[in-house]
Amino acid sequence: MIIRKSYKFRLNPTKKQAGILQTVLDECRWLYNNLLEQRKLSYEDLGMSLSKMNQQAFLPLLKEERPSLLLVHSQVLQNINDRIDKAFKNFFRRCKSGEKPGFPRFRGFDRYDSFCYSQSGFSIEGKDLKLSKIGNIRIVQHREIEGKIKTCTIRRQDGKWYACFSCEMEAIPLPANNNSIGIDLGIENFATLSDGEKIENPRFFKKSEKDLAKAQRKLSKLNKGTPERNKQKKIVSKIHQRVRNKRSDFCHQTSRK
């Protein structure tokens, strides 16, 4: 059986490379919003629904109108078209099933944080990740990648850059084991095992509440769009990131045990 396994590694771009990554991300966001606007106006003004193939044919024309799109690898641009198509398919699926639809939204700077090389345009060469149209970026590959790499997603998270690889590999069954244990997840305790052992809830968020409240109060007093507010937003984001990292580390270590 073939399964998918993902790997996430930290990138250490130079200041110049970080600027290029942000430029590519900005161009991807522009294209996403443009393709969304095409679909919206086509239906509202002409009563027509554009398909994925219709919009794919528009890409060469958009490159002529906006030469900066040439800075982005063709596979990355096509993947954005895939994202739009999936967003609308999910919207219509939710409409049919009676769920809250949630029409696809335009993306601002803080709401678009990744682009994907879906088939080609990337490779790992020693300690560097080679990205087409961007160059070689130092990657912190802390473990070996198993299986065949299918996609590479570059993500901006809390001011840092990461590379996420999706790989296909054969599932390797674990040896048979007759031992079993029941696990009851709770609130007071993180988990209670059927043998009576209790795993305490570390409550990382509660321990960071004072620091977070102080940072958010300071943020609320600053004017929008100012450098001071943007700097304070990063401080709030870092507190959330620390809590998230602690939770992730705790869950991984607990599950390993």
Side-chain angles (χ1 to χ4, degrees):
M1 181 177 69
I2 301 295
I3 62 172
R4 283 268 182 150
K5 189 172 183 177
S6 63
Y7 295 85
K8 182 178 180 181
F9 301 112
R10 173 79 183 274
L11 294 177
N12 284 330
T14 63
K15 190 173 182 179
K16 182 179 179 180
Q17 289 173 332
I20 296 173
L21 289 171
Q22 186 59 55
T23 299
V24 171
L25 188 60
D26 289 340
E27 290 301 315
C28 293
R29 179 169 59 89
W30 180 90
L31 180 61
Y32 182 95
N33 289 335
N34 186 274
L35 295 178
L36 175 55
E37 185 179 25
Q38 283 183 14
R39 291 214 181 197
K40 191 171 180 289
L41 294 178
S42 176
Y43 184 79
E44 291 176 350
D45 297 347
L46 305 175
M48 294 172 54
S49 294
L50 292 178
S51 68
K52 176 181 173 181
M53 296 306 297
N54 293 146
Q55 293 198 291
Q56 193 76 16
F58 278 121
L59 289 180
L61 297 175
L62 287 174
K63 288 181 182 179
E64 292 179 7
E65 294 177 6
R66 189 179 174 91
S68 53
L69 287 175
L70 295 172
L71 298 172
V72 186
H73 190 261
S74 59
Q75 290 288 334
V76 174
L77 297 178
Q78 291 172 23
N79 178 260
I80 297 167
N81 192 26
D82 290 338
R83 290 189 186 189
I84 284 287
D85 191 58
K86 288 177 182 177
F88 273 92
K89 283 181 178 178
N90 289 333
F91 168 71
F92 291 124
R93 174 184 55 79
R94 289 191 293 268
C95 287
K96 289 180 181 179
S97 63
E99 301 176 45
K100 188 177 179 180
F103 190 82
R105 297 198 295 176
F106 292 101
R107 302 289 180 170
F109 178 84
D110 292 333
R111 292 186 58 81
Y112 198 94
D113 57 11
S114 68
F115 57 90
C116 178
Y117 291 83
S118 55
Q119 295 178 8
S120 61
F122 65 93
S123 61
I124 297 177
E125 299 181 355
K127 295 182 179 181
D128 293 338
L129 172 63
K130 185 177 181 179
L131 299 175
S132 179
K133 305 271 186 164
I134 295 176
N136 289 21
I137 300 176
R138 185 57 56 92
I139 183 172
V140 184
Q141 189 179 345
H142 55 272
R143 58 175 172 159
E144 289 297 320
I145 295 177
E146 299 176 2
K148 183 179 180 181
I149 300 175
K150 303 296 289 184
T151 66
C152 171
T153 300
I154 305 301
R155 183 177 299 278
R156 182 194 66 201
Q157 183 178 335
D158 300 317
K160 300 180 179 66
W161 293 93
Y162 297 88
C164 305
F165 300 97
S166 178
C167 306
E168 279 188 353
M169 59 182 296
E170 285 283 346
I172 303 175
L174 294 172
N177 190 329
N178 294 325
N179 297 327
S180 61
I181 194 166
I183 303 173
D184 179 28
L185 299 179
I187 298 176
E188 186 65 31
N189 294 300
F190 177 76
T192 302
L193 310 184
S194 57
D195 62 1
E197 181 185 351
K198 293 183 178 181
I199 302 173
E200 292 186 9
N201 191 337
R203 304 186 188 279
F204 294 118
F205 183 77
K206 189 171 183 179
K207 293 176 182 177
S208 301
E209 274 185 327
K210 287 185 179 180
D211 291 339
L212 183 60
K214 183 179 178 181
Q216 287 179 328
R217 279 197 303 270
K218 189 174 180 180
L219 177 65
S220 66
K221 296 176 183 178
L222 298 172
N223 295 326
K224 291 184 178 180
T226 60
E228 292 78 11
R229 183 179 174 85
N230 292 335
K231 184 177 180 180
Q232 190 62 25
K233 279 177 68 177
K234 291 181 180 179
I235 293 174
V236 173
S237 178
K238 284 182 178 179
I239 296 173
H240 283 294
Q241 183 189 25
R242 283 201 298 268
V243 174
R244 184 166 59 247
N245 289 344
K246 287 178 181 179
R247 282 175 176 166
S248 177
D249 182 63
F250 172 76
C251 288
H252 279 302
Q253 290 199 30
T254 304
S255 62
R256 284 287 184 183
K257 291 176 184 176

